[in-house]
Amino acid sequence: MRPERLNDLFKEVQTLDGVGPKLLRPLEKLGLTRLRDLAYHLPDRFVERRAVPDLDAATVGENIIVAVTVREHRQSGGRGPFRVMAEDALGNSLAITYFGRASYSAKKLLPTGTKRWVAGRLDQYGQQLQMVHPDHVAENSAMLSGQACEPVYALSEGLTQPRVAGFVAQALAQLPDLPEWIEPGLFDRMKWPGWQEALRSAHAAPHAEARDRLAYDELLANSLALMLVRASNRSQSGTPLTGDGHLRDKLQLPFALTGAQKRSIAEIEGDMAQSAPMLRLLQGDVGSGKTVVALSAMLIAVEAGAQAAMLAPTEILARQHHATLMQMAAGTGVEIALLTGRDKGRARESVLMGLLDGSIDLVVGTHAIFQDTVSYRNLALVVIDEQHRFGVGQRLMLARKGRRPPHTLAMTATPIPRTLTLAQYGEMDVSKLDELPPGRQAIDTAVISMERVPEVVERLAAQIAEGRQAYWVCPMVHEHETEDIAAAEARFAALKERFGADVVLVHGQMKPEDKDAAMERFSGGQAKLLVATTVIEVGVDVPNATLMVIEQAERFGLAQLHQLRGRVGRGSAKSVCLLLRSDALSETAKRRLALMRETQDGFRLAEEDLELRGGGELLGTRQSGDTPFNVASLEQIQRLLPLAHDDARLLIERDGGLEGSRGEAARLLLYLFERDWGVQLLRGG
Ligand code: ADP
Ligand code: MG
């Protein structure tokens, strides 16, 4: 139960003045549903603007406040912009321009013949001076005083800066008094403000100490929660599993294990023999051979008379893993089943029976394998593939499935830098597959301009003529999924004209059956070219594919590009990756693409990507997209996470039950950042 003193913070935004039903959706889009969210909706930046007597005193590009007289309203075309034509004190013309629905309110704010003060960025459109969507329109200059340094918030359609600022102010007015949870020595050394003051300052002006303190809070909450998971796991007793090797001996692998694979298997074997449940992450680049490590772990469980389950993030991957495991384990006599949300009726019933009576040893599937209706006779090992797709909360749910907490092996192919590993998987022990199986050829990577698409198509034709297969990945921008799909469909249509039935398309909005059918045609070799959005990102294994084309490569993260590139170079033939780039690229974007050409080491790419993105970051801009954080930026994660981690460890060592006065404060922190599963473990254990 959440402590009462946080109740005000978790009140719904509807309780604020001015938040009616119409604004709920726009607020929700920004993740703002409770006062707490508003308090932590920190400004993206601040604008400083200058009051000028007339437009002659201003420069284009500057943020200004100026008085104008409204002359005329102009609506150009049906969907064109709405322009309010106005004049400054010298008779200079200013077009105040609105797009879309904003024009309705513009008519009311700026009636013809009236004098108004407008605040915003002065632009030029041809010869015409203009101001697009002013930040403020006021009837007198006094209403704009005190706005010289103003926060700029992330918005969604239907919201304006003043509105959001007003809601934030209301939320800040209701901040409760909370005890300090930061270690006193650190708090003094950093000269950080207290929690309340930090929130208020961070909204008022660019205030580095305040932002750091708030970021640190979030990092500390995360580290604490992960450490509580770890401590609680240690205190539990699971089933020690020792295998005699009789099944692993029957594995007929067409290759010898790499040193890294042997080492990882030994580490896993050691963990599984303990009664404290294993909590281990297997980190290994695409193609490093995680599947056979997972299979070995599962066979240990079966040798010891127990069952194992493998969770995959998608239907396609579950099917592929099932097929691979069936093949690898063919000689062992182990019973392997597949269970996904799409299995219904008799087939499903028979799998459920088999899991219950123990006749099935291994099951592979999507989250369907952990639904309430699924019971196991003796589940003792859970393998989670592509761990980053699942949160810690979900993982804890899985752990409740066995009679005793099962051993957990999590796997990820996303090579993330060490600091982020700590942030995301701080509760786990890590095994690293840092050695690729021998005989892999380097993948030639080239960065080329989009204009050369025709050449790329010729290259593709040559590959296909040689009996090879290829991928063509279309760009993906999450805010506009429909547009992405449209782009992928257009590319597909164009390539289909050239290659006919050899081309298949896979994207995120297709029906699962259609997606699987297309994937099967490609992996079966009937289709030669797979056009896709990033749905092929994880796990797909088609060794005959030797060409990867990625459109607008600059839009992808390096980790993602690396994973995509890893789809080729899986067989013995020479493979090529072509990164198609747009023309206007920032220096950072160029550098990032160049790195892709320089190295194929995923861990190095991850470290350098963090460096490039983190370093180029402005104060407080949150680009922490693929981290579990909303407040802390990449740069802050790098700088402050190690501190938070050590601090959390010390606190747990001294006061594992969080019962002392600092412990009490830390509990509040966990609730504040909704890591309360950490606290719940305290109660349970
Ligand atoms: P990951 O899941 O880590 O991306 P996989 O387990 O799919 O990688 O393995 C990639 C490919 O490498 C598979 O075709 C697999 O059979 C092969 N492979 C795995 N281990 C070895 C090894 N030690 N030597 C040669 N090939 C291997
Ligand atoms: Mg894999």
Side-chain angles (χ1 to χ4, degrees):
M1 265 277 282
R2 183 167 54 225
E4 265 176 39
R5 57 208 302 184
L6 295 179
N7 282 354
D8 276 353
L9 276 173
F10 281 85
K11 280 195 301 198
E12 310 272 322
V13 286
Q14 287 97 303
T15 60
L16 295 177
D17 285 343
V19 181
K22 264 199 200 152
L23 289 183
L24 287 182
R25 274 189 73 91
L27 286 168
E28 197 188 317
K29 263 195 156 162
L30 295 167
L32 308 175
T33 60
R34 299 145 317 170
L35 303 206
R36 179 223 167 272
D37 308 325
L38 279 166
Y40 278 104
H41 190 54
L42 302 182
D44 280 343
R45 60 194 168 86
F46 289 84
V47 283
E48 298 201 21
R49 54 171 84 85
R50 204 160 60 90
V52 292
D54 52 66
L55 295 173
D56 285 358
T59 33
V60 170
E62 191 181 10
N63 286 301
I64 57 166
I65 300 173
V66 68
V68 293
T69 306
V70 179
R71 294 295 176 216
E72 191 192 344
H73 288 177
R74 279 189 204 156
Q75 178 69 59
S76 56
R79 308 190 70 195
F82 175 73
R83 286 207 167 83
V84 176
M85 302 308 295
E87 272 174 25
D88 71 357
L90 303 176
N92 290 312
S93 160
L94 178 71
I96 306 168
T97 307
Y98 291 88
F99 295 94
R101 272 194 253 151
S103 46
Y104 298 118
S105 50
K107 281 177 199 165
K108 282 195 220 126
L109 284 170
L110 295 153
T112 41
T114 57
K115 183 170 182 183
R116 289 287 184 267
W117 275 258
V118 291
R121 202 182 116 100
L122 184 65
D123 286 323
Q124 198 163 359
Y125 179 75
Q127 288 304 304
Q128 175 70 54
L129 287 175
Q130 77 165 353
M131 189 178 279
V132 179
H133 288 214
D135 299 332
H136 301 280
V137 175
E139 292 181 30
N140 57 64
S141 61
M143 290 169 70
L144 293 181
S145 67
Q147 315 226 333
C149 176
E150 196 180 82
V152 179
Y153 293 104
L155 297 179
S156 59
E157 177 152 350
L159 288 170
T160 59
Q161 292 297 342
R163 270 223 155 115
V164 172
F167 298 150
V168 168
Q170 288 186 59
L172 292 178
Q174 300 190 45
L175 296 180
D177 280 319
L178 299 179
E180 186 54 70
W181 44 74
I182 296 180
E183 198 270 314
L186 180 71
F187 182 75
D188 290 342
R189 197 164 75 239
M190 294 300 210
K191 302 197 168 46
W192 279 337
W195 174 74
Q196 253 194 37
E197 194 195 330
L199 275 173
R200 297 215 167 93
S201 313
H203 283 282
H207 192 313
E209 285 80 16
R211 297 281 299 219
D212 274 359
R213 189 246 142 87
L214 298 174
Y216 183 81
D217 287 347
E218 185 179 40
L219 298 169
L220 181 62
N222 190 66
S223 291
L224 267 175
L226 294 182
M227 265 173 232
L228 287 170
V229 171
R230 190 179 168 87
S232 135
N233 192 71
R234 287 244 167 112
S235 70
Q236 279 176 331
S237 75
T239 317
L241 301 172
T242 16
D244 57 7
H246 79 275
L247 294 174
R248 279 170 286 163
D249 288 345
K250 289 191 196 136
L251 272 186
Q252 285 156 355
L253 299 174
F255 48 74
L257 295 176
T258 64
Q261 283 170 323
K262 285 188 200 149
R263 195 178 59 236
S264 300
I265 294 171
E267 284 163 352
I268 290 164
E269 196 169 6
D271 284 1
M272 288 173 69
Q274 310 297 314
S275 72
M278 166 168 75
L279 213 45
R280 185 167 285 277
L281 178 71
L282 179 64
Q283 233 183 356
D285 223 334
V286 247
S288 59
K290 292 184 292 299
T291 318
V292 66
V293 176
L295 176 60
S296 305
M298 293 194 285
L299 290 180
I300 293 173
V302 181
E303 284 167 10
Q307 291 169 303
M310 182 172 192
L311 176 67
T314 65
E315 183 94 25
I316 293 178
L317 272 174
R319 289 180 188 283
Q320 204 166 57
H321 275 314
H322 180 250
T324 312
L325 295 178
M326 292 281 278
Q327 201 179 14
M328 278 202 223
T332 61
V334 167
E335 203 55 51
I336 307 179
L338 173 72
L339 184 64
T340 73
R342 272 172 48 217
D343 297 309
K344 299 261 148 61
R346 296 274 284 278
R348 181 181 152 86
E349 284 309 312
S350 113
V351 173
L352 294 191
M353 280 307 297
L355 291 172
L356 190 59
D357 67 18
S359 55
I360 294 176
D361 304 304
L362 302 184
V363 64
V364 183
T366 53
H367 58 272
I369 60 178
F370 294 106
Q371 276 161 0
D372 285 344
T373 48
V374 185
S375 305
Y376 293 81
R377 194 175 85 91
N378 186 12
L379 178 67
L381 170 68
V382 177
V383 177
I384 309 175
D385 193 23
E386 303 306 341
Q387 167 67 58
H388 66 284
R389 300 281 183 106
F390 304 95
V392 183
Q394 271 171 302
R395 211 155 63 221
L396 292 173
M397 296 270 296
L398 298 186
R400 299 204 181 103
K401 209 55 194 179
R403 254 181 304 157
R404 292 174 159 199
H407 296 282
T408 304
L409 175 66
M411 308 201 288
T412 177
T414 314
I416 55 174
R418 226 194 61 81
T419 23
L420 292 189
T421 305
L422 210 59
Q424 231 131 314
Y425 309 111
E427 85 284 22
M428 293 197 251
D429 299 304
V430 178
S431 293
K432 229 167 162 177
L433 290 182
D434 48 10
E435 175 189 357
L436 286 183
R440 293 282 157 78
Q441 294 207 34
I443 301 164
D444 280 347
T445 303
V447 181
I448 59 183
S449 158
M450 275 298 288
E451 284 164 19
R452 289 169 56 193
V453 164
E455 279 171 57
V456 174
V457 172
E458 288 319 308
R459 191 147 183 180
L460 193 58
Q463 289 276 315
I464 293 175
E466 280 177 29
R468 297 291 175 194
Q469 289 167 280
Y471 298 94
W472 190 300
V473 178
C474 296
M476 174 99 150
V477 195
H478 295 293
E479 302 93 273
H480 306 290
E481 203 192 355
T482 15
E483 280 173 41
D484 296 338
I485 307 282
E489 273 169 349
R491 182 60 74 197
F492 171 64
L495 291 165
K496 211 172 164 60
E497 258 181 43
R498 173 74 190 260
F499 300 108
D502 283 351
V503 195
V504 287
L505 173 70
V506 173
H507 65 66
Q509 278 177 10
M510 278 164 73
K511 274 194 255 151
E513 300 88 72
D514 297 345
K515 214 176 354 189
D516 285 1
M519 285 304 304
E520 267 156 39
R521 269 180 46 92
F522 185 69
S523 45
Q526 295 95 327
K528 305 297 180 203
L529 175 62
L530 178 71
V531 178
T533 53
T534 47
V535 287
I536 58 158
E537 186 187 338
V538 287
V540 178
D541 190 15
V542 180
N544 187 44
T546 50
L547 176 65
M548 166 66 66
V549 180
I550 305 175
E551 267 192 67
Q552 294 191 29
E554 73 274 6
R555 288 210 193 168
F556 294 86
L558 279 190
Q560 227 178 353
L561 287 177
H562 178 68
Q563 294 230 344
L564 286 168
R565 178 168 62 183
R567 299 298 111 215
V568 296
R570 306 203 125 205
S572 52
K574 183 85 205 156
S575 290
V576 173
C577 173
L578 300 178
L579 302 173
L580 303 187
R581 62 160 177 82
S582 317
D583 285 329
L585 288 193
S586 70
E587 278 311 309
T588 309
K590 280 185 197 155
R591 181 79 198 106
R592 291 168 75 237
L593 292 183
L595 264 175
M596 285 297 296
R597 226 171 35 210
E598 274 168 38
T599 181
Q600 226 163 294
D601 175 345
F603 289 100
R604 183 176 159 217
L605 281 170
E607 293 291 346
E608 300 226 12
D609 194 26
L610 180 66
E611 199 69 12
L612 277 173
R613 285 193 295 167
E617 225 172 10
L618 299 169
L619 169 79
T621 45
R622 280 157 291 162
Q623 302 173 4
S624 39
D626 38 45
T627 75
F629 303 114
N630 294 315
V631 179
S633 69
L634 278 175
E635 186 276 325
Q636 286 169 321
I637 296 171
Q638 276 172 290
R639 185 160 44 86
L640 300 173
L641 184 67
L643 283 178
H645 199 74
D646 288 347
D647 191 7
R649 202 183 46 225
L650 273 177
L651 178 57
I652 301 281
E653 271 170 22
R654 284 185 201 148
D655 179 13
L658 296 184
E659 277 154 357
S661 63
R662 211 189 141 209
E664 289 274 328
R667 279 175 194 242
L668 289 171
L669 176 71
L670 288 168
Y671 278 101
L672 184 57
F673 282 99
E674 303 186 279
R675 302 302 206 266
D676 38 312
W677 33 263
V679 186
Q680 273 146 29
L681 287 174
L682 277 180
R683 298 264 155 74

